[in-house]
Amino acid sequence: MAIDPQPVRAFVGLGSNLGGPVDQVKRALAALAALPQSRMVSHSGLYGSKPWGGVEQPAFVNAVAELETSLQSRALLDALLEIEHAQGRRRGGERWGPRVIDLDLLCYGTAEVDEPGLRLPHPHIAERSFVLVPLAEIAADLAIPGIGAVSTLLARIDTRDCLPIA
């Protein structure tokens, strides 16, 4: 008889700037809530932010979701990619370019992973206000493995370009 693994606290960043971004993020949140072996614990409100990476494009709508999951990190990442695909995302376009939906696995418990296609915690988590602002809304006390507390990281960056959407 196999023993189910202990659930892990995982955080997912969501972003969209094409195809009705607010609706795209809400659809992705619903899909995350329906993942097998997982439970949506909470999610942030929606935030508007300027694009990151220097590519000319529309503003983004962002959020962060907290999951409790028994899926392994690679299986969770695969599920996120499936949600993206179901919402019309086709990878291979311009790096940091516009997208219908983008789901990033930000943290997976205390895991520190550096494998092809999977780096945990997310390598840019400490520099992105559109990740840290919504993450702080739901988990300001979170200690990101090998990096530090969300509240400390947030205090180090400019957050003026990440504003709540009413």
Side-chain angles (χ1 to χ4, degrees):
M1 174 168 158
I3 298 173
D4 289 335
Q6 285 292 99
V8 172
R9 187 178 183 199
F11 291 88
V12 177
L14 301 90
S16 173
N17 69 345
L18 296 176
V22 169
D23 290 337
Q24 293 292 348
V25 170
K26 287 180 178 180
R27 281 182 59 204
L29 285 168
L32 289 173
L35 283 176
Q37 300 176 18
S38 303
R39 178 177 72 86
M40 172 91 68
V41 175
S42 65
H43 66 80
S44 71
L46 302 181
Y47 291 82
S49 67
K50 292 181 181 176
W52 195 82
V55 176
E56 186 70 29
Q57 60 187 304
F60 273 83
V61 172
N62 298 100
V64 170
E66 178 183 358
L67 303 176
E68 186 175 85
T69 185
S70 296
L71 295 172
Q72 296 297 314
S73 58
R74 181 65 70 172
L76 179 55
L77 177 63
D78 290 344
L80 299 182
L81 295 174
E82 287 176 22
I83 293 169
E84 287 182 348
H85 188 78
Q87 286 188 227
R89 169 109 188 246
R90 300 300 175 259
R91 290 193 171 260
E94 187 172 17
R95 184 167 173 86
W96 295 317
R99 59 205 68 183
V100 171
I101 192 69
D102 185 32
L103 302 177
D104 288 329
L105 184 52
L106 302 173
C107 293
Y108 181 86
T110 59
E112 293 184 62
V113 177
D114 190 356
E115 301 173 356
L118 179 61
R119 291 180 61 198
L120 293 169
H122 191 283
H124 299 291
I125 195 169
E127 24 185 287
R128 295 177 169 175
S129 64
F130 63 84
V131 171
L132 290 174
V133 170
L135 184 56
E137 179 188 326
I138 62 172
D141 62 337
L142 177 67
I144 298 171
I147 298 175
V150 169
S151 57
T152 302
L153 298 171
L154 187 61
R156 294 180 185 159
I157 63 168
D158 183 355
T159 61
R160 291 177 291 181
D161 67 344
C162 186
L163 301 171
I165 295 175

